Amino acid sequence: MTHDRAFHDRFQTPSRHRETHVTTGATVWLTGLPSAGKTTIAHELAGRLRAEGHRVEVLDGDEIREFLSAGLGFSRADRHTNVRRIGFVAELLARNGVKALVPVIAPYTDSRDAVRDWHAKNGTAYLEVHVATPVEVCSVRDVKGLYAKQAAGELTGLTGVDDPYEEPLSPDLRVESQHQTVPESAASVHTLLSERGLA
């Protein structure tokens, strides 16, 4: 193989690969209490979408706190700022053809509405999924030990316990993960995407 042919093949392969990607972007915001199953469902859905050729990013709330919102606390104003920052990044990804999956609590209605409005202003698809796992189930799961710390008096301001969580009144989808397997929950979100022409 000549040098020119090798060069040509090397730089043609990525464009052939790109042709297999689905380029319709969207933000899927999974809101719910701590340990509701948001992140687990998001990663399950991400795997399914990638297998179908979608470009996907999962915007993990803890990682955002560390790298984008370091210095913010957990007051209502700081939570609002954090959610709006995540919403900005998600919309930026989505308008560039990425499925942005956002498993972030976002406890306040006005914050979630601000993110939805930002997407609408930019003509970017946005879906709100309420992972409506009851607090009694979440506290048993207690993935990060937050409920145990709150019960022991080591933590205050836990969303849904001693800090408000305003449930979405009209989400695009409500998932009751306590009655479904993780693949079933992810499949219900995938169905919603398909119904909206996004998957």
Side-chain angles (χ1 to χ4, degrees):
M1 181 181 288
T2 66
H3 175 77
D4 288 346
R5 176 66 183 277
F7 181 87
H8 178 269
D9 287 352
R10 180 182 173 190
F11 288 96
Q12 283 300 305
T13 301
S15 53
R16 287 200 299 268
H17 180 66
R18 276 197 300 273
E19 288 173 2
T20 68
H21 281 289
V22 181
T23 57
T24 303
T27 293
V28 181
W29 197 294
L30 296 98
T31 176
L33 296 174
S35 295
K38 303 180 298 297
T39 301
T40 306
I41 294 168
H43 282 290
E44 178 75 19
L45 177 61
R48 179 168 178 172
L49 289 170
R50 288 186 184 115
E52 295 173 348
H54 298 267
R55 292 183 292 173
V56 183
E57 289 292 339
V58 178
L59 300 184
D60 180 86
D62 291 337
E63 293 178 356
I64 294 290
R65 279 272 178 187
E66 181 178 357
F67 295 106
L68 188 64
S69 294
L72 289 181
F74 291 90
S75 67
R76 185 179 184 112
D78 281 359
R79 288 176 190 260
H80 181 70
T81 298
N82 184 51
V83 168
R84 290 193 66 188
R85 286 180 183 178
I86 298 170
F88 174 82
V89 173
E91 194 279 328
L92 188 64
L93 289 168
R95 83 165 95 133
N96 284 284
V98 177
K99 297 291 189 302
L101 310 183
V102 188
V104 173
I105 295 171
Y108 303 117
T109 301
D110 59 349
S111 301
R112 297 191 302 264
D113 286 349
V115 173
R116 183 185 287 277
D117 290 347
W118 178 248
H119 280 71
K121 179 181 177 181
N122 289 285
T124 306
Y126 178 84
L127 299 173
E128 182 179 83
V129 176
H130 180 204
V131 184
T133 313
V135 66
E136 296 81 12
V137 176
C138 294
S139 63
V140 172
R141 292 178 180 174
D142 204 9
V143 177
K144 299 176 184 176
L146 300 177
Y147 293 93
K149 288 181 180 178
Q150 194 278 335
E154 300 171 8
L155 176 71
T156 59
L158 180 59
T159 302
V161 179
D162 57 356
D163 211 61
Y165 177 72
E166 300 171 357
E167 291 193 3
L169 297 178
S170 301
D172 296 282
L173 177 68
R174 206 178 302 275
V175 174
E176 296 185 351
S177 72
Q178 72 276 21
H179 300 312
Q180 297 177 320
T181 65
V182 171
E184 286 171 344
S185 294
S188 66
V189 184
H190 188 276
T191 297
L192 173 66
L193 284 164
S194 297
E195 290 172 350
R196 301 294 174 89
L198 299 168

